Amino acid sequence: MNEPLDHYQRELDALQERCLFRTRLTFDGPQSSRLGYEGRELLNFCSNDYLGLADHPRVVRAMQRGAARFGVGAGASHLVNGHRTAHAALEEALSEFVGAERALTFSTGYMANLALAQVFAGRGDLVLEDKLNHASLVDAGLLARADFRRYAHTDVRHARRILNERDSGRTLLMSDAVFSMDGDIVPLDALMEVADEHEALAVFDDAHGFGVLGPNGRGTLARFGTVPKGRTLMMGTLGKALGTFGAFVAGNAVLIDSLIQRARTYMYSTAMPPAIAEATRTALEIAGREDWRRDKLRALIGRFRSGAKDLGLQLIESETPIQPVIVGESGRALKTSRLLMESGILVVAIRPPTVPDGTARLRVALSAEHTEADVDRLLEAMGAASP
Ligand SMILES: Cc1ncc(COP(=O)(O)O)c(C=O)c1O
């Protein structure tokens, strides 16, 4: 009778034994460079709030005003009657910001990625992805019922070889624009060229580049001097640099219309609360205008990298706020993270299956809210905690 429960208990025990058991820490207060935890204050180096907007007073006020005007929930999906002027205004602002014909909001980036693969690939087609893509892109590829292939990380020649083997069906190429656990940037121009050669649609998931990279933070495509147009689509998330919640897809109007007509995660899910759309519009305006946030981030990234190199820590080639320190073995990553916590610093250990076996790491994430002294404190603690 208890057999199913025993099965799950054994699974949990096995995770514990391999140092892969996940625990949630419960924090108090808003996302910020300082976090309240069990009566202490921790210096936080693991949020995606890269620009420090999650608790910005103007963004908070925009959400409060939005709730007063629109209530707290949309009450229906976009295609029934959940679509509000707040969503329309945000889509307009986003498409203008990234230089696309149209933009479409989704409730989460995960859902946006599922939608893209479902609509633009199916049986007999190919979904081609980078080996280190985010889990939501991997799931999207698996759920699309298409042939699902992965090329070695950022290896454009490998991608081309796979494409050369095909002679029928549509191809959808999907890649993180900034790799979420490594912080490196996709070879965007070379991949776009390969996609073009094969008339493939290309989707770049800019969850970690939007707001951070390119002029005014317009994202990774802008950093490469291009915009989402033609067969290239951009997916951006709103819960990271913009500090709010949700996601969008930007690009050609025909492709956006196809998503509205066919994307199941769009059609069969409640629209994002309009107050969030209002808060996001304010966050977008601040993110675009306040270049000092990106300038400060860049300086902090440089400071961290040079200090970490002096300490002999193993870094990845990354110019983004994602600065992982590779530790290798999961138990060791957990132990280092615990030692850091004892000295009041929060950097969580990222372990398999989120990252490949043997590459457990401390994913340091920097924010414009940090100070130089914060980075120095982190380096000092890492120096002391590293075996
Ligand atoms: C690269 C990437 N894509 C998509 C997502 C999913 O976005 P969301 O949190 O909005 O579901 C994330 C992280 O959450 C991510 O890191």
Side-chain angles (χ1 to χ4, degrees):
M1 200 52 182
N2 270 334
E3 184 47 31
L5 290 184
D6 290 347
H7 167 84
Y8 293 114
Q9 187 60 55
R10 279 197 300 278
E11 265 187 7
L12 295 177
D13 293 344
L15 287 174
Q16 287 277 16
E17 268 159 38
R18 293 160 58 212
C19 298
L20 294 178
F21 193 82
R22 262 71 168 162
T23 44
R24 298 175 302 171
L25 304 178
T26 308
F27 299 102
D28 197 14
Q31 185 65 270
S32 152
S33 64
R34 268 74 183 164
L35 281 181
Y37 179 66
E38 295 184 345
R40 297 161 65 201
E41 185 183 85
L42 296 178
L43 182 53
N44 170 24
F45 283 100
C46 46
S47 97
N48 300 314
D49 181 25
Y50 305 124
L51 298 181
L53 296 180
D55 189 35
H56 190 292
R58 279 191 55 212
V59 179
V60 172
R61 277 200 302 277
M63 184 140 164
Q64 288 164 337
R65 276 198 308 272
R69 178 168 168 200
F70 294 100
V72 292
S77 68
H78 284 278
L79 293 183
V80 177
N81 72 355
H83 196 61
R84 291 287 185 290
T85 49
H87 300 114
L90 175 60
E91 288 176 353
E92 185 86 32
L94 285 167
S95 58
E96 196 190 319
F97 189 73
V98 301
E101 234 174 1
R102 292 270 299 276
L104 181 69
T105 55
F106 280 83
S107 292
T108 70
Y110 215 118
M111 291 164 71
N113 281 339
L114 296 186
L116 286 160
Q118 175 238 320
V119 171
F120 299 120
R123 276 188 221 287
D125 299 328
L126 169 69
V127 177
L128 182 59
E129 299 203 10
D130 188 289
K131 191 83 174 35
L132 293 190
N133 270 356
H134 187 259
S136 57
L137 287 169
V138 175
D139 289 355
L142 292 170
L143 286 171
R145 299 171 207 209
D147 188 11
F148 178 54
R149 300 281 306 274
R150 294 201 281 176
Y151 53 89
H153 182 48
T154 63
D155 187 340
V156 179
R157 285 188 0 210
H158 189 193
R160 183 177 268 121
R161 270 205 311 281
I162 295 174
L163 282 172
N164 284 343
E165 287 163 13
R166 285 196 57 97
D167 51 13
S168 66
R170 298 175 294 174
T171 296
L172 177 65
L173 186 119
M174 302 183 101
S175 177
D176 280 25
V178 171
F179 289 86
S180 59
M181 293 300 136
D182 295 68
D184 56 339
I185 299 175
V186 70
L188 189 124
D189 36 9
L191 269 184
M192 276 177 68
E193 208 177 296
V194 175
D196 262 355
E197 282 164 20
H198 293 267
E199 299 188 346
L201 281 193
V203 168
F204 294 102
D205 172 338
D206 208 15
H208 299 276
F210 180 60
V212 174
L213 297 180
N216 305 101
R218 292 172 204 277
T220 306
L221 278 82
R223 180 185 180 277
F224 281 85
T226 187
V227 294
K229 64 168 192 230
R231 285 189 295 261
T232 302
L233 286 162
M234 162 185 179
M235 197 289 287
T237 61
L238 309 171
K240 296 182 169 47
L242 259 48
T244 60
F245 186 77
F248 67 98
V249 175
N252 173 280
V254 173
L255 300 179
I256 297 297
D257 270 334
S258 302
L259 287 167
I260 297 174
Q261 298 307 311
R262 294 196 38 230
R264 295 171 67 82
T265 58
Y266 188 75
M267 301 173 86
Y268 302 117
S269 189
T270 302
M272 123 195 336
I276 291 189
E278 291 287 86
T280 306
R281 205 148 48 92
T282 297
L284 182 67
E285 187 250 304
I286 298 170
R289 192 164 35 80
E290 297 192 356
D291 271 330
W292 67 262
R293 293 177 188 271
R294 279 173 290 278
D295 295 342
K296 188 170 169 209
L297 249 184
R298 243 187 316 278
L300 294 173
I301 292 166
R303 192 177 187 90
F304 175 76
R305 286 188 70 81
S306 98
K309 277 180 192 154
D310 289 346
L311 288 171
L313 301 177
Q314 192 187 337
L315 296 177
I316 289 178
E317 219 34 69
S318 158
E319 60 180 85
T320 68
I322 304 171
Q323 291 292 331
V325 176
I326 306 294
V327 176
E329 198 256 310
S330 294
R332 208 173 131 195
L334 270 185
K335 186 166 163 231
T336 314
S337 171
R338 280 195 198 117
L339 286 172
L340 288 174
M341 182 99 133
E342 280 165 24
S343 50
I345 291 183
L346 182 71
V347 189
V348 295
I350 306 285
R351 292 160 284 161
T354 310
V355 292
D357 278 333
T359 70
R361 63 199 66 186
L362 296 164
R363 180 184 181 272
V364 171
L366 296 163
S367 159
E369 253 194 41
H370 289 126
T371 63
E372 290 184 349
D374 292 343
V375 171
D376 294 347
R377 225 183 107 193
L378 169 68
L379 287 165
E380 197 183 318
M382 284 196 123
S386 297

